[in-house]
């Protein structure tokens, strides 16, 4: 008998209890998603993330005390592996863009359809980056100076991997597309980030768009 796939472990971080309850209600009916904990602000969220080691964190941006953006920065400093999906009621780019720069894997709005929310969780857990086109454009346009083009430092294979990262592919999907092992793909991704002096896949995707490496 095949092993049952491990469920995606999710932490909810939002200062409104009713929102957390609603998110939990949405997610508890999903066979492959497990809500492992909750937190009412960013500071508690970071502590719970370190304690519970969830796969995905649903994070509000605006919270009293430590907000979602600062919590993201702390999680990055701690090298916590959880993928963070921003769940916000704010649509302004000036609110969402800093969260993405701080390391979020994407964002959705609080009025999202339950099926779309569970799909977004699965997507970021698989390694995808959820960027709306207008937000990607804003991220690029906010750079005061163009980043130096270091594409020449990448091997042909690394450029292929980078192009697929920009296309939103997970490591598993890249491995299948290029007929490589996932371990080899992870090595290529690490080399790409090191060579381009980038922090994460979101920055890599944006770099590829800027320098015409994406399809």
């Amino acid at each position: 008998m095949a092993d049952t796939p491990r469920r995606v472990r999710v932490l909810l971080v939002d200062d409104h209890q009713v929102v957390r309850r609603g998110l939990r209600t949405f997610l508890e009916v999903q066979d492959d998603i497990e809500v492992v904990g909750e937190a009412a602000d960013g500071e508690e969220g970071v502590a719970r993330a370190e304690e519970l080691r969830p796969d995905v964190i649903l994070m509000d941006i605006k919270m009293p005390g430590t907000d979602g953006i600062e919590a993201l920065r702390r999680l990055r400093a701690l090298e916590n592996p959880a993928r963070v999906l921003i769940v916000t009621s704010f649509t302004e780019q000036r609110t969402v863009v800093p969260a993405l720069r701080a390391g979020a894997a994407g964002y959705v709005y609080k009025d999202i359809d339950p099926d779309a929310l569970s799909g977004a969780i699965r997507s970021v857990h698989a390694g995808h980056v959820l960027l709306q086109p207008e937000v990607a454009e804003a991220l690029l346009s906010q750079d005061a100076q163009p980043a130096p083009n270091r594409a020449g430092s990448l091997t042909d294979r690394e450029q292929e991997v980078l192009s697929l990262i920009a296309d939103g592919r997970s490591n598993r999907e890249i491995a299948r597309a290029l007929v490589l092992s996932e371990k080899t793909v992870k090595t290529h991704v690490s080399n790409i980030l090191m060579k381009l002096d980038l922090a994460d896949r979101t920055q890599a995707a944006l770099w590829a768009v800027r320098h015409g490496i994406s399809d």
Side-chain angles (χ1 to χ4, degrees):
M1 181 181 295
D3 292 337
T4 302
R6 188 174 72 87
R7 292 190 289 176
V8 181
R9 304 175 73 254
V10 175
L11 173 66
L12 308 177
V13 183
D14 194 291
D15 59 316
H16 292 100
Q17 184 177 8
V18 67
V19 172
R20 298 198 307 272
R21 184 179 299 131
L23 290 171
R24 181 181 281 274
T25 299
F26 288 165
L27 299 175
E28 284 184 338
V29 298
Q30 305 297 321
D31 293 337
D32 60 340
I33 295 175
E34 176 187 8
V35 178
V36 296
E38 300 180 15
D41 58 44
E43 183 173 359
E44 183 184 6
V46 172
R48 295 288 279 165
E50 286 292 279
E51 172 193 355
L52 299 170
R53 309 300 280 188
D55 300 307
V56 176
I57 301 173
L58 300 188
M59 180 91 72
D60 191 14
I61 293 180
K62 296 294 185 181
M63 294 181 287
T66 302
D67 65 13
I69 295 172
E70 177 59 27
L72 276 160
R73 291 176 180 141
R74 293 186 187 181
L75 287 169
R76 174 181 284 179
L78 291 167
E79 298 184 353
N80 190 289
R83 301 275 286 168
V84 178
L85 181 63
I86 294 296
V87 184
T88 181
S89 57
F90 294 90
T91 60
E92 299 94 338
Q93 293 176 1
R94 63 182 175 82
T95 303
V96 177
V97 167
L100 294 171
R101 286 196 180 281
Y107 73 96
V108 295
Y109 298 124
K110 288 185 177 178
D111 60 356
I112 187 173
D113 175 86
D115 289 338
L117 176 61
S118 58
I121 290 170
R122 296 183 189 104
S123 182
V124 298
H125 178 243
H128 294 288
V129 176
L130 297 182
L131 283 179
Q132 298 296 327
E134 66 274 12
V135 174
E137 182 180 352
L139 280 164
L140 292 171
S141 65
Q142 283 189 5
D143 290 334
Q145 298 293 332
N149 190 340
R150 302 187 185 94
S153 68
L154 302 179
T155 66
D156 290 344
R157 180 63 85 188
E158 287 166 353
Q159 292 197 36
E160 289 178 321
V161 171
L162 180 56
S163 177
L164 292 171
I165 290 174
D167 195 37
R169 306 287 188 91
S170 67
N171 284 349
R172 179 173 297 177
E173 290 170 330
I174 294 172
R176 288 174 180 169
L178 299 180
V179 195
L180 300 171
S181 70
E182 272 193 76
K183 182 177 180 181
T184 299
V185 171
K186 289 179 181 178
T187 299
H188 284 315
V189 172
S190 296
N191 289 340
I192 289 166
L193 297 181
M194 179 184 66
K195 288 181 178 181
L196 301 181
D197 192 24
L198 301 173
D200 52 39
R201 295 173 76 96
T202 302
Q203 290 187 6
L206 293 171
W207 192 97
V209 171
R210 173 182 291 280
H211 294 291
I213 290 179
S214 62
D215 293 333

